[in-house]
Amino acid sequence: MSSKLFVLSSVAGGGKSTLIRLVREKHPQIAFSVSCTTRPPRPGDEEGVTYFFLTPEAFERGIRENEFLEWAKVHDHYYGTPRKYVEECLAGGRSVIMDLDVQGAALLKGKLGNTVVTIFILPPSEEEWERRLRARGTDSEESIMKRIRNGKQELSRRNEFDHVILNDDLDRTLSQLESILLSSEKH
Ligand code: 5GP
């Protein structure tokens, strides 16, 4: 069994965080790469569990010292994958799930080829997606509008992914995701 890097991307409000939480609970043998970010914590965030929260200075030092496997600026904040944990998992034969934006997914696919399996979670419709984004109640209107603009660009790149899963029913979406994770793990 060879270890893989599974990259999950979506638009903000696409339902990806819920899916990742369920997969982490059900399949603890697959490691989860906790990213670093300079965005402020939101309700529900937990240091070291959802993200490592860094100052811009600390993040920029990490870039200079090559500590990130990849990094990107998303919605005005830095986000990056700590290199060491992912490399240790792969060396130990353990697969890793990563939650990345579309730029990070494309970059890693280009860099690591078939070691990376990219999966795009597609919201059921634009109306439903906007409704979910507003229902979170954690973002300002300005930030919601920015996420919608960025999201439309991200949606247009979904064909670059190895798999696209329509998230119209949580149970069905989860089982489709599990079948990709578990079948790819066996190869
Ligand atoms: P949020 O602030 O809503 O948690 O995440 C915003 C976006 O940043 C999401 O699209 C998420 O997938 C992406 N993201 C989170 N961590 C990383 C990372 O380490 N690298 C990249 N490229 N994107 C990330």
Side-chain angles (χ1 to χ4, degrees):
M1 184 171 96
S2 63
S3 44
K4 296 267 181 207
L5 279 180
F6 296 106
V7 177
L8 259 69
S9 296
S10 184
V11 289
K16 183 181 53 173
S17 311
T18 306
L19 287 164
I20 290 180
R21 184 172 48 73
L22 294 172
V23 166
R24 286 177 79 176
E25 283 166 13
K26 284 182 77 177
H27 305 283
Q29 81 281 11
I30 307 179
F32 177 75
S33 163
V34 178
S35 294
C36 295
T37 186
T38 58
R39 84 148 161 75
R42 287 199 290 252
D45 271 323
E46 217 179 308
E47 169 70 25
V49 178
T50 50
Y51 284 105
F52 296 105
F53 293 94
L54 301 186
T55 61
E57 294 73 28
F59 198 102
E60 283 165 2
R61 192 177 331 118
I63 296 174
R64 284 196 302 276
E65 296 180 358
N66 198 25
E67 282 172 12
F68 297 114
L69 186 59
E70 60 74 45
W71 64 271
K73 218 165 194 185
V74 189
H75 313 305
D76 296 335
H77 295 292
Y78 286 122
Y79 291 83
T81 305
R83 175 191 297 282
K84 196 159 166 255
Y85 180 68
V86 173
E87 288 182 349
E88 281 170 2
C89 288
L90 291 181
R94 193 167 175 211
S95 291
V96 184
I97 298 187
M98 310 165 79
D99 172 348
L100 303 186
D101 80 318
V102 170
Q103 311 168 65
L107 196 135
L108 274 195
K109 186 77 192 173
K111 222 172 166 177
L112 302 173
N114 285 340
T115 306
V116 180
V117 178
T118 55
I119 304 161
F120 191 91
I121 308 293
L122 189 64
S125 66
E126 219 161 270
E127 296 73 40
E128 175 60 16
W129 164 44
E130 290 195 20
R131 196 194 60 73
R132 284 188 198 169
L133 207 49
R134 289 174 199 285
R136 298 209 295 201
T138 51
D139 299 297
S140 65
E141 181 60 25
E142 188 195 334
S143 154
I144 290 171
M145 292 315 292
K146 186 180 268 181
R147 281 166 191 264
I148 290 174
R149 274 198 307 278
N150 290 346
K152 285 187 176 164
Q153 275 185 0
E154 293 176 320
L155 279 173
S156 72
R157 294 185 63 183
R158 63 183 181 269
N159 293 337
E160 296 173 29
F161 283 72
D162 296 322
H163 302 274
V164 178
I165 308 179
L166 178 68
N167 187 14
D168 55 349
D169 172 278
L170 185 59
D171 288 341
R172 191 168 51 217
T173 310
L174 180 62
S175 65
Q176 283 179 346
L177 179 58
E178 287 175 305
S179 75
I180 294 169
L181 301 176
L182 303 177
S183 74
S184 302
E185 257 209 314
K186 292 195 195 96
H187 294 302

